Amino acid sequence: MKLIAANWRRLTLAVLTVILVVSSFAVFTPSASAETYQVKLGTDKGLLQFQPKSLTIKPGDTIEWVNNKVPPHNVVFDKAKNPTKDAGLAKTLSHTKLLLNPGQKQTTTFPADAPVGDYTFYCAPHRGAGMVGKITVQS
Ligand SMILES: [Cu+2]
């Protein structure tokens, strides 16, 4: 009888351990709702444009900027062309440092409370050449 009790206790412990391990995975697995999108700086064909030029995302999503052809490039969000004309937000979304080498990456994560609407961004050296893009945030 003692032996059965000891085995039962050991089994209970094993089951509890499995439950703990499985539930910790559930807690630490990031939620599947936030997405990451890639935007190339300079098209594959060597045009002075973002590829893609426009993108629709949700608050909390991330843009990965990948320096591609005809550098240098940067990413500047226009402080006058976002839903609430928020200069501070435009600044935090921007990467003004010029990327010189193909393959360099930067990321911009839109805050979970980012206002919905259109956000215009440009590449400072090539703005005049039309290197302008738009992120549309939808709820
Ligand atoms: Cu550029």
Side-chain angles (χ1 to χ4, degrees):
M1 198 62 203
K2 220 176 194 178
L3 189 68
I4 293 171
N7 279 339
W8 183 249
R9 211 173 301 135
R10 213 170 291 145
L11 183 69
T12 308
L13 201 65
V15 169
L16 285 176
T17 304
V18 168
I19 290 171
L20 198 70
V21 168
V22 169
S23 63
S24 70
F25 271 115
V27 170
F28 293 115
T29 304
S31 87
S33 62
E35 304 254 4
T36 297
Y37 298 91
Q38 203 176 69
V39 174
K40 291 178 181 174
L41 312 183
T43 69
D44 289 340
K45 289 180 177 173
L47 296 175
L48 291 172
Q49 284 173 4
F50 294 98
Q51 187 181 331
K53 278 191 222 177
S54 60
L55 199 59
T56 299
I57 67 165
K58 289 188 160 74
D61 285 348
T62 295
I63 316 290
E64 182 182 61
W65 312 99
V66 183
N67 205 25
N68 194 27
K69 300 280 178 75
V70 286
H73 301 295
N74 66 359
V75 178
V76 183
F77 277 82
D78 195 326
K79 60 181 189 235
K81 290 182 181 172
N82 65 62
T84 55
K85 300 190 174 23
D86 184 338
L89 177 58
K91 194 177 175 188
T92 63
L93 298 173
S94 298
H95 291 286
T96 52
K97 191 166 180 256
L98 288 173
L99 299 178
L100 303 175
N101 304 311
Q104 282 178 289
K105 291 175 183 176
Q106 298 275 25
T107 58
T108 293
T109 300
F110 275 72
D113 62 354
V116 298
D118 291 344
Y119 294 70
T120 298
F121 59 94
Y122 58 87
C123 166
H126 303 129
R127 187 184 194 177
M131 193 165 168
V132 179
K134 185 177 77 179
I135 303 288
T136 301
V137 175
Q138 276 182 355
S139 58

